[in-house]
Amino acid sequence: YDSTGVLWIGTNVNGVYRYTVDRNGNLSNEELYFDQSNGLPNQAIRGLLIDVDGRLWIGTGLGMARFDGSELTRWTKTN
């Protein structure tokens, strides 16, 4: 969970999903999804980290990405 009550789930083959959790612990429908088609270097997620500024860092099999709440930035061996 991040500080706003969002649950981020990284998968081995399908990228990252974002869900909101209500006060009763129920998950919302999928709100946001990242995969290679919208910016991830790879769909095999190896790690997720939320930094002190609330940005989500995503480690993949072929690079990393950072989501700042509105924009996804990616880094690979080529950049």
Side-chain angles (χ1 to χ4, degrees), residues 1 4-7 19-29 31:
Y1 295 97
T4 64
V6 170
L7 175 64
Y19 295 91
T20 301
V21 181
D22 69 19
R23 293 180 185 171
N24 296 320
N26 298 313
L27 292 178
S28 67
N29 290 334
E31 294 182 357

Side-chain angles (χ1 to χ4, degrees), residues 4-66:
T4 64
V6 170
L7 175 64
W8 294 95
I9 300 174
T11 70
N12 193 40
V13 294
N14 290 320
V16 176
Y17 293 87
R18 176 186 180 213
Y19 295 91
T20 301
V21 181
D22 69 19
R23 293 180 185 171
N24 296 320
N26 298 313
L27 292 178
S28 67
N29 290 334
E30 171 191 332
E31 294 182 357
L32 183 65
Y33 172 71
F34 294 123
D35 65 8
Q36 283 181 279
S37 71
N38 59 9
L40 285 183
N42 181 260
Q43 293 185 178
I45 306 305
R46 301 294 182 235
L48 298 173
L49 173 83
I50 299 169
D51 69 17
V52 296
D53 295 319
R55 298 175 297 193
L56 174 67
W57 291 83
I58 305 165
T60 76
L62 296 175
M64 63 186 301
R66 182 187 68 212

Side-chain angles (χ1 to χ4, degrees), residues 59-77:
T60 76
L62 296 175
M64 63 186 301
R66 182 187 68 212
F67 181 61
D68 65 7
S70 60
E71 183 178 358
L72 185 72
T73 305
R74 64 183 253 158
W75 292 272
T76 64
K77 290 182 180 181

